[in-house]
mmCIF file of all heavy atoms in Angstrom:
data_model
loop_
_atom_site.group_PDB
_atom_site.id
_atom_site.type_symbol
_atom_site.label_atom_id
_atom_site.label_comp_id
_atom_site.label_asym_id
_atom_site.label_seq_id
_atom_site.Cartn_x
_atom_site.Cartn_y
_atom_site.Cartn_z
ATOM 1 N N GLY A 102 83.020 -18.337 -17.856
ATOM 2 C CA GLY A 102 84.336 -18.908 -17.618
ATOM 3 C C GLY A 102 84.266 -20.056 -16.636
ATOM 4 O O GLY A 102 83.260 -20.264 -15.965
ATOM 5 N N PRO A 103 85.337 -20.832 -16.519
ATOM 6 C CA PRO A 103 85.310 -22.014 -15.648
ATOM 7 C C PRO A 103 85.203 -21.690 -14.169
ATOM 8 O O PRO A 103 84.826 -22.546 -13.374
ATOM 9 C CB PRO A 103 86.653 -22.705 -15.965
ATOM 10 C CG PRO A 103 87.521 -21.614 -16.510
ATOM 11 C CD PRO A 103 86.601 -20.691 -17.250
ATOM 12 N N ARG A 134 83.799 -13.488 -21.455
ATOM 13 C CA ARG A 134 84.081 -13.731 -22.863
ATOM 14 C C ARG A 134 83.813 -15.165 -23.300
ATOM 15 O O ARG A 134 83.946 -15.487 -24.473
ATOM 16 C CB ARG A 134 85.559 -13.411 -23.152
ATOM 17 C CG ARG A 134 85.941 -11.964 -22.905
ATOM 18 C CD ARG A 134 87.451 -11.740 -23.128
ATOM 19 N NE ARG A 134 87.891 -12.286 -24.392
ATOM 20 C CZ ARG A 134 87.760 -11.656 -25.548
ATOM 21 N NH1 ARG A 134 87.171 -10.467 -25.595
ATOM 22 N NH2 ARG A 134 88.199 -12.212 -26.660
ATOM 23 N N SER A 135 83.417 -16.026 -22.378
ATOM 24 C CA SER A 135 83.359 -17.450 -22.706
ATOM 25 C C SER A 135 82.252 -17.803 -23.694
ATOM 26 O O SER A 135 82.324 -18.831 -24.363
ATOM 27 C CB SER A 135 83.190 -18.292 -21.437
ATOM 28 O OG SER A 135 81.936 -18.054 -20.838
ATOM 29 N N LEU A 137 81.167 -15.685 -26.187
ATOM 30 C CA LEU A 137 81.286 -14.913 -27.416
ATOM 31 C C LEU A 137 81.406 -15.837 -28.619
ATOM 32 O O LEU A 137 81.946 -16.934 -28.499
ATOM 33 C CB LEU A 137 82.524 -14.007 -27.351
ATOM 34 C CG LEU A 137 82.478 -12.819 -26.383
ATOM 35 C CD1 LEU A 137 83.835 -12.124 -26.337
ATOM 36 C CD2 LEU A 137 81.395 -11.835 -26.796
ATOM 37 N N SER A 203 82.152 -24.015 -23.614
ATOM 38 C CA SER A 203 81.939 -22.619 -23.972
ATOM 39 C C SER A 203 81.688 -22.518 -25.470
ATOM 40 O O SER A 203 81.982 -23.444 -26.233
ATOM 41 C CB SER A 203 83.168 -21.786 -23.600
ATOM 42 O OG SER A 203 83.422 -21.838 -22.207
ATOM 43 N N ILE A 204 81.152 -21.376 -25.898
ATOM 44 C CA ILE A 204 81.062 -21.097 -27.328
ATOM 45 C C ILE A 204 82.411 -20.584 -27.832
ATOM 46 O O ILE A 204 82.847 -20.929 -28.927
ATOM 47 C CB ILE A 204 79.944 -20.071 -27.599
ATOM 48 C CG1 ILE A 204 78.580 -20.705 -27.271
ATOM 49 C CG2 ILE A 204 79.971 -19.593 -29.042
ATOM 50 C CD1 ILE A 204 77.403 -19.764 -27.420
ATOM 51 N N ASN A 205 83.096 -19.815 -26.998
ATOM 52 C CA ASN A 205 84.424 -19.311 -27.329
ATOM 53 C C ASN A 205 85.459 -20.379 -26.982
ATOM 54 O O ASN A 205 86.153 -20.303 -25.965
ATOM 55 C CB ASN A 205 84.689 -18.014 -26.554
ATOM 56 C CG ASN A 205 86.044 -17.413 -26.857
ATOM 57 O OD1 ASN A 205 86.777 -17.902 -27.716
ATOM 58 N ND2 ASN A 205 86.390 -16.350 -26.152
ATOM 59 N N THR A 206 85.557 -21.392 -27.837
ATOM 60 C CA THR A 206 86.436 -22.531 -27.549
ATOM 61 C C THR A 206 87.911 -22.217 -27.798
ATOM 62 O O THR A 206 88.773 -22.998 -27.403
ATOM 63 C CB THR A 206 86.031 -23.744 -28.392
ATOM 64 O OG1 THR A 206 86.002 -23.372 -29.786
ATOM 65 C CG2 THR A 206 84.651 -24.248 -27.989
ATOM 66 N N GLU A 207 88.194 -21.076 -28.441
ATOM 67 C CA GLU A 207 89.595 -20.711 -28.654
ATOM 68 C C GLU A 207 90.256 -20.274 -27.350
ATOM 69 O O GLU A 207 91.458 -20.471 -27.162
ATOM 70 C CB GLU A 207 89.695 -19.588 -29.692
ATOM 71 C CG GLU A 207 89.295 -20.012 -31.105
ATOM 72 C CD GLU A 207 89.538 -18.910 -32.109
ATOM 73 O OE1 GLU A 207 90.050 -17.835 -31.707
ATOM 74 O OE2 GLU A 207 89.229 -19.113 -33.305
ATOM 75 N N GLU A 208 89.483 -19.698 -26.453
ATOM 76 C CA GLU A 208 90.044 -19.208 -25.191
ATOM 77 C C GLU A 208 89.672 -20.072 -23.988
ATOM 78 O O GLU A 208 90.337 -19.996 -22.949
ATOM 79 C CB GLU A 208 89.569 -17.774 -24.931
ATOM 80 C CG GLU A 208 90.035 -16.751 -25.949
ATOM 81 C CD GLU A 208 89.634 -15.344 -25.543
ATOM 82 O OE1 GLU A 208 89.936 -14.929 -24.407
ATOM 83 O OE2 GLU A 208 88.999 -14.655 -26.366
ATOM 84 N N PHE A 209 88.618 -20.884 -24.123
ATOM 85 C CA PHE A 209 88.121 -21.632 -22.967
ATOM 86 C C PHE A 209 87.980 -23.112 -23.307
ATOM 87 O O PHE A 209 87.358 -23.474 -24.306
ATOM 88 C CB PHE A 209 86.767 -21.070 -22.507
ATOM 89 C CG PHE A 209 86.828 -19.642 -22.041
ATOM 90 C CD1 PHE A 209 86.687 -18.600 -22.942
ATOM 91 C CD2 PHE A 209 87.051 -19.349 -20.702
ATOM 92 C CE1 PHE A 209 86.755 -17.284 -22.521
ATOM 93 C CE2 PHE A 209 87.114 -18.030 -20.272
ATOM 94 C CZ PHE A 209 86.972 -16.997 -21.182
ATOM 95 N N ASP A 210 88.557 -23.939 -22.462
ATOM 96 C CA ASP A 210 88.509 -25.388 -22.655
ATOM 97 C C ASP A 210 87.267 -25.984 -22.001
ATOM 98 O O ASP A 210 86.673 -25.390 -21.085
ATOM 99 C CB ASP A 210 89.755 -26.046 -22.040
ATOM 100 C CG ASP A 210 91.041 -25.637 -22.736
ATOM 101 O OD1 ASP A 210 90.990 -25.379 -23.960
ATOM 102 O OD2 ASP A 210 92.080 -25.554 -22.043
ATOM 103 N N ASP A 211 86.889 -27.184 -22.443
ATOM 104 C CA ASP A 211 85.833 -27.936 -21.778
ATOM 105 C C ASP A 211 86.278 -28.315 -20.363
ATOM 106 O O ASP A 211 87.474 -28.462 -20.085
ATOM 107 C CB ASP A 211 85.530 -29.227 -22.550
ATOM 108 C CG ASP A 211 84.911 -28.966 -23.909
ATOM 109 O OD1 ASP A 211 84.615 -27.796 -24.226
ATOM 110 O OD2 ASP A 211 84.729 -29.943 -24.655
#
Side-chain angles (χ1 to χ4, degrees):
R134 298 176 50 82
S135 66
L137 290 174
S203 299
I204 293 177
N205 181 5
T206 54
E207 292 185 2
E208 296 186 53
F209 297 87
D210 295 328
D211 293 354

